[in-house]
Amino acid sequence: MDEPHALWMPSNNYFPDRAGHTPRWIIIHGTAGFGSAEEVGAYFQRVDVCTHYTIGRDGVLVQSAREHDGAWGNGGITAGHDPWWSHEVNPNNVTISIEHVKPHHDNSDELTEIQKEVSFRLIQHICERHHIPMRAADTEGGITGHCSMDPMQRSFCPGPYPWEELFAFLACSENTALPSEI
C-alpha cells in the first residue's frame, strides 16, 4: 500500500502503470450513499468502478488501487469542464482519486472531524509523494472536485468540502517542513 495504516481492499478496476502518465491532480469525490469505507471498498471489488482511496465517516481509510496505477473512478469529461482537462488523455491516468463516505445520495453531508483530518493528511502525503501542487487545481496540477471534469452529471460531487481549511492546512504544512526535509 501507498499510505501507511490504510486497509487494503484491492479492486481489479484500474489502468496499469497509468499508460506512462504521471499523476498531476487529486480528485475529491463524495460517495452519494454508503455507510462505511469498507462497504465502498467491497463495492469496488464487485463492480466496474474504483477510486484509489475511500475515507469513512469514522476515519477508516481504505485503499483500493495503487497510486502508480490509474483507478477507474472519474469517468469521462463533459461539456463545461475546467480548461485543463483533455479528451486526448484519460483523466484517470493523470489523477489520484479520494472518495469520502457521504450517506445522503445528494452528497449533502459535511465531513466529520476525523474524516476531515484523515483527508487533509492523505492529500498532503499524496502531494509530497507525487510532487502535486498543494493548491487549487489549474493547468499545472493541484486539487479539485470531481465536478471539475464532469459538471454535467457530477455537479454535486464532492458536495460540501472544507476547501479553505484544506488549503490553509497545506500552506501551513509546506511552511513547517523539518530541517531534514528541506
Side-chain angles (χ1 to χ4, degrees):
M1 288 173 302
D2 299 293
E3 186 69 14
H5 311 295
L7 174 61
W8 178 237
M9 294 183 73
S11 171
N12 290 323
N13 304 315
Y14 62 89
F15 298 97
D17 299 320
R18 299 181 171 277
H21 295 281
T22 301
R24 295 173 42 205
W25 292 275
I26 294 174
I27 304 297
I28 304 299
H29 296 262
T31 59
F34 296 97
S36 71
E38 296 93 335
E39 186 181 341
V40 176
Y43 178 75
F44 288 161
Q45 293 175 329
R46 296 188 313 269
V47 298
D48 289 339
V49 68
C50 167
T51 58
H52 292 90
Y53 295 98
T54 304
I55 303 170
R57 298 188 60 76
D58 57 0
V60 170
L61 177 64
V62 169
Q63 184 172 0
S64 297
R66 298 198 186 278
E67 291 177 10
H68 70 267
D69 296 319
W72 295 2
N74 297 320
I77 300 168
T78 63
H81 62 80
D82 282 325
W84 52 84
W85 301 117
S86 166
H87 290 283
E88 295 174 16
V89 176
N90 180 333
N92 294 296
N93 285 327
V94 292
T95 60
I96 293 176
S97 296
I98 305 169
E99 287 279 8
H100 295 79
V101 173
K102 293 188 169 194
H104 288 93
H105 293 282
D106 64 356
N107 273 337
S108 61
D109 302 276
E110 299 282 341
L111 299 186
T112 65
E113 283 302 310
I114 189 69
Q115 196 176 27
K116 184 169 52 174
E117 291 173 28
V118 172
S119 182
F120 290 7
R121 292 260 181 236
L122 176 62
I123 291 167
Q124 175 191 9
H125 296 163
I126 292 169
C127 287
E128 290 169 351
R129 281 193 288 271
H130 297 281
H131 307 287
I132 294 172
M134 291 189 195
R135 56 173 166 65
D138 62 17
T139 56
E140 301 301 313
I143 307 151
T144 190
H146 192 190
C147 55
S148 168
M149 67 180 62
D150 187 0
M152 301 289 286
Q153 291 143 10
R154 301 291 181 221
S155 61
F156 62 94
C157 189
Y161 188 86
W163 295 106
E164 289 181 22
E165 286 180 69
L166 169 68
F167 295 126
F169 170 85
L170 294 173
C172 188
S173 71
E174 281 186 312
N175 296 329
T176 59
L178 299 174
S180 62
E181 296 174 326
I182 298 176

